[in-house]
Amino acid sequence: MLSERRLEVLRAIVQDYVGTEEPVGSKALTQRHQLGVSPATVRNDMAALEDEGFIAQPHTSAGRIPTDKGYRLFVDKLAGVKPLSSPERRAIQNFLDGAVDLDDVVGRTVRLLAQLTRQVAVVQYPSLTRSTVRHVELLSLAPARLMLVLITDTGRVEQRMVDCPAPFGETSLADLRARLNSRVVGRRFTDVPQLVQDLPESFEQEDRGTVSTVLSVLLETLVEETEERLMIGGTANLTRFGHDFPLTIRPVLEALEEQVVLLKLLGEAKDSGMTVRIGHENAHEGLTSTSVVAVGYGSGDEAVAKLGVVGPTRMDYPGTMGAVRAVARYVGQILAES
Amino acid sequence: MLSERRLEVLRAIVQDYVGTEEPVGSKALTQRHQLGVSPATVRNDMAALEDEGFIAQPHTSAGRIPTDKGYRLFVDKLAGVKPLSSPERRAIQNFLDGAVDLDDVVGRTVRLLAQLTRQVAVVQYPSLTRSTVRHVELLSLAPARLMLVLITDTGRVEQRMVDCPAPFGETSLADLRARLNSRVVGRRFTDVPQLVQDLPESFEQEDRGTVSTVLSVLLETLVEETEERLMIGGTANLTRFGHDFPLTIRPVLEALEEQVVLLKLLGEAKDSGMTVRIGHENAHEGLTSTSVVAVGYGSGDEAVAKLGVVGPTRMDYPGTMGAVRAVARYVGQILAES
DNA sequence: CCTGGCACTCATCAGGGCCGAGTGCCAGAC
DNA sequence: GTCTGGCACTCGGCCCTGATGAGTGCCAGG
């Protein structure tokens, strides 16, 4: 195992490199950190760290930079999560408190995260699968045409058209609306199918077709919309990526445009606790030179969706993790209140 | 006024520069276009064009590139709108036809535009101000808490919470719902305020407070949501911008993140017909080296929102304009059908 | 009014030499 | 055993230089 001091050297290298964006040499290290040893000793330690694969040199006779493995060790063992300052906390709360609806909450969250971390922020809309039904509404638009509106406890609204096989009277409609709501309100989406299974049977023969149709549209909505939506922001921060630009930024922007990729990315994050994926740990090819910090958030104790940031592997991990965690908490609170 | 041939020379310069991204010289011009004159003559024409401010040289003894003014003349006088090929048209239609709801329509449109033009696409959600009410729904969530849902003819849904000053019975609720809808369904948003003005008076004394509250929330929603939303895509195409990258792309990405800026940008476009803003014609500072091609689209003959693309001033104007126009038409059709 | 010719400008590129940060290794000190 | 100072070595980055060539402006003649 690596000695205490060698870990300290690694920590110093990571910190300096994150700050300067330039390979860090042994002399500079001893000057900027109180390691209590000479550059020569540090060089020996560096050689050892390089043998183990934690750092590398871009070219002979340049300083060292951390490898993905080095960042991993740093994140796992050497770095804590840096809590935000209380002015920052207040700013977050103030900013999020002004939101008027769900879109607004998500939008503000994205901007906030992007600003705080100076990186690209990704926020997933609260998922339908894990949330519960607040209300189901049925509106008659034409004799044989209904609109189904589904409202979730996270404030999300989905609407669908329903073409009925037969005209459906206002009284039947009110009846269906009432029965449907009494069964599903407050229930989780995953439970809905069983709960409404036998509903058609309790209706007159002539209405059963329509009731079945309505139900199938409802169930479809629940499943279909498991395909989540998300919002991203702060892409301008990518321009601070590095010097070798175009080649670096291109694949990242492309990856960010693919909702599927991002959803998979967030999906891979653990439900609770924070997940940090560094460089090549990310499956997607365009993101092998980026790190992703993600965390779940929710209105209660359970996560209903995830949010996170995407940035260069050379990022301020403690600070980023702190910001991500704090934002997730506040968003959770906001959702719980509304 | 410029002679016929000089205009021809300008056209040739624009076309070549758009193709090669490199300053174009007199010799190359005569080789690639049948101008029927020698390089020396072209040089004289170029000198004249430069005097008039239509072209410029990046440095002495380099070829010429068009100025903003040159592009303007090109767009106004020299270029038509290039119609899409019929396979392209079919592809558009197929791609848009698969959309399931409004979000999906807008999302697909953005991706389509970005792909077709290989530039950044911006699509505004159909505006509430110009559209009409399809339905207003009121749901009772708690004795003194209602949810108001507004559905527009463009398929958009907005919901708001209403805290009532007094409990509100189910029958009163049904009554209000019915009367409200009979007055506003099919009407334009701008007409709604007058139409509901005297509604509270027709209710019992005890319910008037609640009715007024509901109405004020409704009106607020109409106004508030004039603040439009929009979706952008294709930002990865910015990487094909130029060679001098970071400095060019940075302000553009920043501008694109500001919804306000984009909305203003689209807002400045004419309601009907296509608007092309070139380089410094764009008010926003970050966009002075980009051109914006925008057009209104709508479900009927009237525009309900706008869409367009943002690209380098050095863009294929005829092709871009053709794509933008075609996409706007098809989206209009889709909206009209649903 | 067009054309060919000519002198001139200047960005780009490859080559060469210098500089200095940083390394690895080794012999000696604690 | 571990740390330290010293030293030779490597190699990317920088600057200067000269050659190259595309492109121009101008002018005299058709």
Side-chain angles (χ1 to χ4, degrees):
Chain A
M1 194 46 214
L2 292 166
S3 78
E4 194 60 35
R5 196 190 55 227
R6 290 194 175 156
L7 293 177
E8 198 52 45
V9 169
L10 177 58
R11 163 187 280 144
I13 291 174
V14 171
Q15 285 175 352
D16 275 23
Y17 183 61
V18 165
T20 63
E21 302 190 24
E22 270 167 19
V24 12
S26 53
K27 194 173 162 195
L29 259 200
T30 52
Q31 283 171 350
R32 314 232 307 223
H33 299 79
Q34 277 75 35
L35 294 172
V37 292
S38 79
T41 311
V42 171
R43 281 206 284 283
N44 288 330
D45 291 343
M46 282 173 147
L49 286 168
E50 186 163 10
D51 280 347
E52 305 273 351
F54 293 114
I55 56 179
Q57 1 185 19
H59 39 259
T60 328
S61 91
R64 307 302 217 289
I65 61 175
T67 59
D68 289 354
K69 191 177 169 192
Y71 285 122
R72 166 88 319 177
L73 184 61
F74 176 78
V75 169
D76 288 347
K77 300 278 162 59
L78 303 175
V81 175
K82 186 171 144 208
L84 298 187
S85 67
S86 56
E88 279 174 319
R89 295 177 165 275
R90 268 201 304 281
I92 293 180
Q93 195 143 25
N94 285 340
F95 189 62
L96 289 182
D97 270 349
V100 301
D101 65 4
L102 184 66
D103 270 338
D104 201 17
V105 171
V106 175
R108 280 166 185 255
T109 306
V110 163
R111 268 176 287 160
L112 187 62
L113 251 189
Q115 269 185 7
L116 281 174
T117 61
R118 308 209 54 186
Q119 275 151 19
V120 179
V122 183
V123 179
Q124 192 179 17
Y125 276 76
S127 150
L128 291 188
T129 26
R130 285 183 197 152
S131 47
T132 60
V133 178
R134 180 178 278 163
H135 190 89
V136 176
E137 187 57 33
L138 287 168
L139 319 173
S140 173
L141 299 181
R145 194 143 200 239
L146 301 179
M147 173 175 271
L148 174 86
V149 180
L150 173 71
I151 301 164
T152 80
D153 65 338
T154 51
R156 188 153 159 183
V157 179
E158 291 293 327
Q159 95 279 12
R160 287 287 183 282
M161 292 302 167
V162 186
D163 285 312
C164 314
F168 199 57
E170 271 300 331
T171 49
S172 305
L173 188 66
D175 195 18
L176 175 57
R177 182 191 295 134
R179 290 205 221 172
L180 198 51
N181 275 293
S182 73
R183 295 202 185 194
V184 302
V185 167
R187 298 314 194 95
R188 307 178 120 241
F189 283 18
T190 41
D191 301 335
V192 170
Q194 314 163 30
L195 292 166
V196 299
Q197 203 176 359
D198 59 341
L199 209 50
E201 295 163 23
S202 60
F203 279 80
E204 299 289 330
Q205 180 67 45
E206 56 182 13
D207 287 339
R208 281 186 200 168
T210 296
V211 172
S212 298
T213 310
V214 168
L215 291 182
S216 70
V217 171
L218 174 61
L219 299 184
E220 220 171 76
T221 308
L222 301 183
V223 175
E224 207 170 74
E225 286 299 312
T226 306
E227 161 212 336
E228 319 276 3
R229 303 206 167 161
L230 41 77
M231 193 177 274
I232 78 172
T235 47
N237 291 326
L238 285 177
T239 55
R240 301 180 307 107
F241 225 58
H243 325 282
D244 48 348
F245 240 64
L247 295 173
T248 325
I249 205 180
R250 174 71 160 279
V252 179
L253 271 177
E254 274 169 3
L256 291 176
E257 294 239 329
E258 300 263 359
Q259 306 246 331
V260 191
V261 171
L262 287 179
L263 286 169
K264 205 189 280 176
L265 206 65
L266 291 179
E268 284 167 357
K270 295 190 297 277
D271 264 14
S272 62
M274 208 163 333
T275 303
V276 181
R277 303 203 141 237
I278 299 167
H280 292 81
E281 295 170 9
N282 291 302
H284 188 79
E285 215 179 320
L287 298 175
T288 47
S289 60
T290 65
S291 285
V292 178
V293 177
V295 68
Y297 72 92
S299 51
D301 42 355
E302 203 171 3
V304 296
K306 291 166 188 167
L307 57 77
V309 306
V310 178
T313 49
R314 162 192 41 70
M315 69 161 69
D316 169 18
Y317 289 95
T320 304
M321 289 164 82
V324 168
R325 192 176 63 184
V327 170
R329 280 194 192 149
Y330 283 112
V331 176
Q333 280 180 25
I334 300 282
L335 287 181
E337 284 164 16
S338 66
Chain B
M1 192 45 214
L2 291 168
S3 77
E4 193 60 34
R5 194 189 58 228
R6 290 193 175 157
L7 292 178
E8 198 52 44
V9 168
L10 177 59
R11 164 187 280 145
I13 291 174
V14 171
Q15 285 176 351
D16 275 21
Y17 183 61
V18 165
T20 63
E21 301 191 24
E22 271 167 17
V24 12
S26 52
K27 195 173 160 196
L29 259 200
T30 52
Q31 283 171 350
R32 313 232 309 222
H33 299 79
Q34 276 75 34
L35 294 172
V37 294
S38 79
T41 310
V42 171
R43 280 205 285 283
N44 288 330
D45 291 343
M46 282 173 148
L49 285 169
E50 185 161 11
D51 281 347
E52 305 272 353
F54 294 114
I55 57 179
Q57 1 185 16
H59 39 259
T60 328
S61 92
R64 306 303 216 290
I65 62 175
T67 60
D68 287 355
K69 191 177 169 194
Y71 285 122
R72 164 84 1 217
L73 183 61
F74 176 79
V75 168
D76 289 347
K77 299 280 162 58
L78 304 174
V81 175
K82 185 169 143 211
L84 298 187
S85 67
S86 56
E88 278 174 320
R89 295 178 165 274
R90 267 200 305 280
I92 293 179
Q93 196 144 24
N94 285 340
F95 189 62
L96 290 182
D97 271 348
V100 302
D101 65 5
L102 184 66
D103 270 338
D104 202 17
V105 171
V106 174
R108 280 165 185 255
T109 306
V110 163
R111 268 175 288 159
L112 188 61
L113 251 188
Q115 269 186 7
L116 280 174
T117 62
R118 308 210 52 185
Q119 275 151 20
V120 179
V122 182
V123 179
Q124 194 179 16
Y125 276 76
S127 152
L128 290 188
T129 26
R130 284 182 196 151
S131 46
T132 59
V133 178
R134 181 179 279 164
H135 189 88
V136 177
E137 186 57 31
L138 287 168
L139 318 173
S140 173
L141 298 181
R145 194 143 201 238
L146 302 179
M147 173 176 270
L148 174 86
V149 179
L150 173 71
I151 301 165
T152 80
D153 64 338
T154 50
R156 189 155 160 181
V157 180
E158 291 293 328
Q159 94 279 10
R160 287 286 183 282
M161 292 300 167
V162 186
D163 284 312
C164 313
F168 199 58
E170 272 299 330
T171 50
S172 303
L173 188 66
D175 195 19
L176 176 57
R177 183 192 294 136
R179 289 205 220 174
L180 197 52
N181 274 292
S182 73
R183 294 202 186 193
V184 302
V185 168
R187 298 314 194 95
R188 305 176 123 246
F189 283 18
T190 42
D191 301 336
V192 169
Q194 312 164 34
L195 292 167
V196 300
Q197 203 175 358
D198 58 341
L199 209 51
E201 296 164 24
S202 61
F203 278 80
E204 299 290 332
Q205 182 65 45
E206 56 181 13
D207 287 340
R208 280 186 200 168
T210 296
V211 171
S212 298
T213 310
V214 169
L215 291 181
S216 71
V217 170
L218 174 61
L219 299 184
E220 218 172 79
T221 308
L222 300 182
V223 176
E224 205 171 78
E225 285 298 312
T226 306
E227 160 212 337
E228 319 276 3
R229 305 209 165 157
L230 40 76
M231 193 178 274
I232 78 171
T235 47
N237 291 326
L238 286 176
T239 53
R240 301 182 307 109
F241 224 59
H243 325 283
D244 47 349
F245 241 61
L247 295 173
T248 324
I249 205 181
R250 174 71 162 279
V252 179
L253 270 176
E254 274 169 1
L256 291 176
E257 295 238 329
E258 300 264 358
Q259 306 246 331
V260 191
V261 171
L262 286 179
L263 287 169
K264 204 189 279 174
L265 205 68
L266 290 179
E268 284 166 357
K270 297 192 297 277
D271 263 15
S272 61
M274 206 161 336
T275 303
V276 180
R277 302 202 141 239
I278 298 168
H280 292 81
E281 296 169 10
N282 291 302
H284 189 78
E285 216 179 318
L287 298 175
T288 46
S289 59
T290 64
S291 286
V292 179
V293 177
V295 68
Y297 71 93
S299 51
D301 42 353
E302 204 171 2
V304 295
K306 290 166 188 165
L307 57 78
V309 305
V310 178
T313 48
R314 163 190 45 68
M315 69 162 68
D316 168 19
Y317 289 95
T320 303
M321 291 164 81
V324 169
R325 192 175 63 183
V327 170
R329 281 193 191 149
Y330 283 111
V331 176
Q333 281 179 24
I334 300 283
L335 287 181
E337 284 164 17
S338 68

